[in-house]
Amino acid sequence: MGKKQKIREEFYRYGFAVLAFASLIFLVGITLTLFTQGLPLFREISLGGFIFGREWYPTYDPPDYGAFPLIAGSALVTLGALFVCVPLGVGSALYLNEIAGYKQKSIMKPIIEILAGIPSVVYGFFGMVIVAPFVQNLFNLPTGLTAFTGSLVLGIMATPTVASLAEDALSFVPKSFREASLAVGANRWQTLVKVVIPSAGSGISTAVILGISRAIGETMTVLMVTGGSAVVPRSFFQPVRPMTSTIAAEMGETVFGSLHYNSLFAIGLILFLLTLSFNIIAELISRRFRIKLGMGR
Amino acid sequence: MNRAKVTEKIGFFMLFLCILITVLFLGIILYFVTVRGLRVISWEFLTQPPRSGMTEGGVAPAIIGTLFLTLGAVLFALPLGLACAIYLNEYTPKNIIVNILRISINNLAGVPSVVFGLFGLAIFVKFFGFGVSILSGSLTLGILILPGIISASQEALASIPQSFREASLALGATKWQTIRRVVLPSSLSGILTGVILSIGRAAGETAPIIFTAAAFYLRGYPRSILSEVMALPYHIYGLMTEGTHPEQQTQIAYGCALILMFLVLLISAVAIYFRQKQRRIHYG
């Protein structure tokens, strides 16, 4: 190797290293920013008072920073969304992977992929103009913008995520498992329920957990569809204000560095920690799943 | 028919129902947005700025704004992400540190987009003082798609058989020559798929640009990368929640939703095309 070439090789090596670390710094920066901007809130308010406080009136005098209504709103909408996306997503995955023929699969799979690609603001828009009036008329409510409507739209939105992850999990189940079951006289449904689902079980739960994680973090849909009232919800058919939409709706009005500003970062921190722990749990389960099916890593 | 057979039929039907409902919802969304969107879309709608308090004219500034923001995000995230993937996959030994980095990058892909918006606000808008601008918004969107670009590129690079590299090195090529002439060309379509999917994501995201770049209404077009900008996704949100003519604004929002959906679906169609091409290369 000539000297010039050696220098060039070193140049590229260090160049890539610098760029790689630059992107890692940005990614670490997100975590640091949330902590440095969010934690100052707790100089004024106790952690318990923030998480369990039932009054969210950040613009009143004196202001109240009780995030419980927002956390409850997120939990309620996410829970509702689960009732939609788990059956639809897992059911679709089972159908695609176990029942559908090649031709049906080659049509339906891209359709589900398209559904995953639609921007969330379009879902929110659709929820506002079509789903909300429908829900309002159906249940005779004062407004269609409720936790229920949010759950419905959010559930549809998370369905493709759950479906494609669950399908991955099902495709990991070895063919020999199914053949063994069919060979001892079980029909296809019995094979599905007694063999395929149990062996893909942890993979499917990974899919569901990542679906939850996606639903909690979704912003535009809930911002547009759930109505936005920051009170602890008493029923499904009432407007709520989840954590994500609180940040999106209120950040524009806050003064930089004020307590309100810090409190929105603290909510961001809660969201960050929540989704992070869901993702880590999913990662751990899916690792165990692969080992169980003899795939190691 | 015996009982097991009946159960099987019912079970299969239930599963079919699940996928049918899912597909049906997509059909309903596409139908309403397309039919009502087409009513307002015209040459004027695509090329003119809004007039008469958002009730007439077009949405051209929002379309242009979305193009600027997306382009900026890719210009920023692509070199960084690709370099990061190349460094992690080609230059570092496979060890626990690289594995931890890989897992943390994957986890960052799951962080809610509104949290990226908070980061952009604190760092780009305030700390670096870029203000609410195309620059801040592009950088924020860039960081949002960075984890996706890194993991897609890394996956594409890792799928290249080790023998390719060894053959090149055995011929006396240097590491960089091997990367440039052998590894990158053969992983190109895989990388492109990941990048294009990220472009689609960046174009459709709203939450990260609400407080870093977007304005509901601006007179004229942005002058520099430090000016605020209108963007399609935020415009839809604005039309539905602000302003004084809800009826007409909803119609215009249908038009915007159709354009945005068309744009994003077009982008993902291109990505799917590249993925098919890549499969052909790898599996003959």
Side-chain angles (χ1 to χ4, degrees):
Chain A
M1 226 192 291
K3 195 168 176 215
K4 217 171 135 193
Q5 205 170 29
K6 212 163 199 168
I7 293 174
R8 191 166 52 181
E9 284 298 311
E10 288 303 298
F11 170 75
Y12 279 112
R13 171 187 293 275
Y14 286 110
F16 280 129
V18 167
L19 287 177
F21 280 101
S23 49
L24 293 174
I25 283 172
F26 276 119
L27 300 178
V28 173
I30 293 176
T31 323
L32 287 181
T33 309
L34 288 174
F35 276 100
T36 56
Q37 308 289 309
L39 290 185
L41 176 76
F42 300 112
R43 276 191 224 127
E44 309 275 329
I45 292 149
S46 70
L47 182 62
F50 179 62
I51 292 179
F52 299 109
R54 299 174 74 89
E55 310 284 328
W56 179 260
Y57 295 114
T59 52
Y60 280 31
D61 192 28
D64 277 311
Y65 298 101
F68 187 71
L70 320 175
I71 297 171
S74 278
L76 184 67
V77 173
T78 306
L79 189 75
L82 276 182
F83 281 101
V84 179
C85 73
V86 171
L88 288 186
V90 176
S92 299
L94 283 170
Y95 187 84
L96 276 182
N97 211 61
E98 305 295 322
I99 303 167
Y102 178 77
K103 204 168 169 193
Q104 253 182 334
K105 194 171 171 175
S106 65
I107 298 172
M108 284 174 166
K109 220 182 139 143
I111 291 183
I112 291 181
E113 275 176 22
I114 292 177
L115 206 51
I118 296 177
S120 60
V121 70
V122 174
Y123 279 101
F125 171 65
F126 172 77
M128 263 180 114
V129 291
I130 307 289
V131 185
F134 178 74
V135 169
Q136 185 179 4
N137 288 334
L138 189 66
F139 298 103
N140 210 357
L141 300 169
T143 169
L145 302 174
T146 62
F148 177 80
T149 322
S151 296
L152 209 60
V153 180
L154 202 56
I156 306 276
M157 207 180 148
T159 299
T161 311
V162 176
S164 59
L165 290 167
E167 219 215 320
D168 284 346
L170 289 169
S171 67
F172 277 131
V173 177
K175 219 175 162 191
S176 56
F177 282 28
R178 299 187 183 89
E179 284 161 355
S181 161
L182 294 170
V184 294
N187 67 22
R188 284 171 71 197
W189 177 252
Q190 287 161 337
T191 306
L192 190 75
V193 175
K194 301 256 163 83
V195 177
V196 177
I197 294 180
S199 20
S202 41
I204 293 176
S205 36
T206 307
V208 172
I209 293 171
L210 290 176
I212 301 177
S213 173
R214 164 121 205 242
I216 293 182
E218 183 41 56
T219 310
M220 293 318 289
T221 321
V222 291
L223 175 61
M224 293 169 84
V225 173
T226 58
S229 91
V231 290
V232 180
R234 299 198 179 284
S235 96
F236 241 128
F237 299 98
Q238 166 184 334
V240 292
R241 172 176 281 204
M243 293 188 275
T244 48
S245 56
T246 309
I247 298 176
E250 293 179 12
M251 193 43 107
E253 316 154 3
T254 61
V255 180
F256 174 66
S258 66
L259 217 51
H260 190 190
Y261 178 88
N262 293 139
S263 71
L264 294 180
F265 273 87
I267 296 174
L269 188 58
I270 296 180
L271 276 171
F272 176 78
L273 294 177
L274 268 179
T275 48
L276 195 67
S277 27
F278 277 122
N279 289 357
I280 290 172
I281 293 170
E283 171 99 20
L284 291 177
I285 295 179
S286 86
R287 183 167 304 170
R288 239 185 45 204
F289 167 64
R290 287 199 205 116
I291 291 168
K292 190 174 115 193
L293 290 182
M295 264 169 280
R297 276 222 55 138
Chain B
M1 267 200 297
N2 58 23
R3 245 185 83 198
K5 193 99 192 159
V6 175
T7 322
E8 184 180 37
K9 280 252 182 304
I10 295 174
F12 281 12
F13 178 72
M14 297 296 275
L15 293 182
F16 178 71
L17 218 57
C18 287
I19 199 160
L20 189 71
I21 294 173
T22 310
V23 171
L24 209 65
F25 265 113
L26 178 74
I28 296 173
I29 296 176
L30 285 181
Y31 171 82
F32 275 107
V33 172
T34 311
V35 169
R36 299 206 181 159
L38 279 177
R39 276 189 215 151
V40 290
I41 288 185
S42 61
W43 185 244
E44 193 200 354
F45 191 76
L46 297 174
T47 55
Q48 295 294 316
R51 284 198 316 270
S52 330
M54 297 290 175
T55 57
E56 284 171 50
V59 292
I63 300 176
I64 307 247
T66 287
L67 294 182
F68 278 153
L69 286 171
T70 314
L71 188 73
V74 175
L75 283 181
F76 169 66
L78 180 58
L80 270 183
L82 192 55
C84 189
I86 290 176
Y87 187 72
L88 290 181
N89 205 65
E90 305 294 325
Y91 282 101
T92 53
K94 303 259 172 300
N95 58 22
I96 187 147
I97 296 174
V98 173
N99 221 1
I100 290 173
L101 285 179
R102 197 182 51 79
I103 292 171
S104 11
I105 290 167
N106 276 347
N107 280 327
L108 276 162
V111 171
S113 58
V114 72
V115 171
F116 283 91
L118 285 178
F119 172 73
L121 173 68
I123 298 301
F124 302 127
V125 178
K126 303 293 184 191
F127 184 75
F128 286 126
F130 298 150
V132 176
S133 63
I134 297 182
L135 184 60
S136 298
S138 293
L139 292 173
T140 310
L141 285 174
I143 289 183
L144 173 85
I145 60 175
L146 193 56
I149 290 185
I150 296 175
S151 27
S153 310
Q154 219 193 338
E155 217 166 278
L157 292 172
S159 74
I160 304 305
Q162 203 55 34
S163 56
F164 282 31
R165 298 185 184 90
E166 283 158 5
S168 163
L169 292 172
L171 288 170
T174 61
K175 186 132 201 161
W176 167 241
Q177 284 168 336
T178 304
I179 293 173
R180 204 182 125 199
R181 310 257 176 202
V182 178
V183 179
L184 280 182
S186 26
S187 55
L188 189 64
S189 48
I191 294 174
L192 274 179
T193 311
V195 171
I196 296 169
L197 283 176
S198 316
I199 297 177
R201 168 129 198 247
E205 274 293 352
T206 319
I209 59 170
I210 295 180
F211 18 85
T212 57
F216 177 42
Y217 177 68
L218 293 168
R219 201 173 278 278
Y221 295 90
R223 296 241 166 87
S224 81
I225 56 168
L226 287 176
S227 34
E228 280 183 80
V229 68
M230 288 169 72
L232 268 182
Y234 186 70
H235 202 59
I236 297 174
Y237 170 64
L239 285 168
M240 295 307 292
T241 52
E242 288 174 44
T244 46
H245 305 88
E247 299 267 311
Q248 289 106 315
Q249 287 180 193
T250 304
Q251 297 313 312
I252 295 176
Y254 268 113
C256 293
L258 180 58
I259 299 172
L260 184 65
M261 217 161 73
F262 178 75
L263 215 72
V264 171
L265 295 186
L266 191 74
I267 293 170
S268 36
V270 175
I272 290 172
Y273 167 77
F274 275 108
R275 198 176 54 197
Q276 299 294 357
K277 202 169 143 192
Q278 177 197 14
R279 286 209 179 125
R280 275 206 298 281
I281 292 170
H282 283 286
Y283 308 109

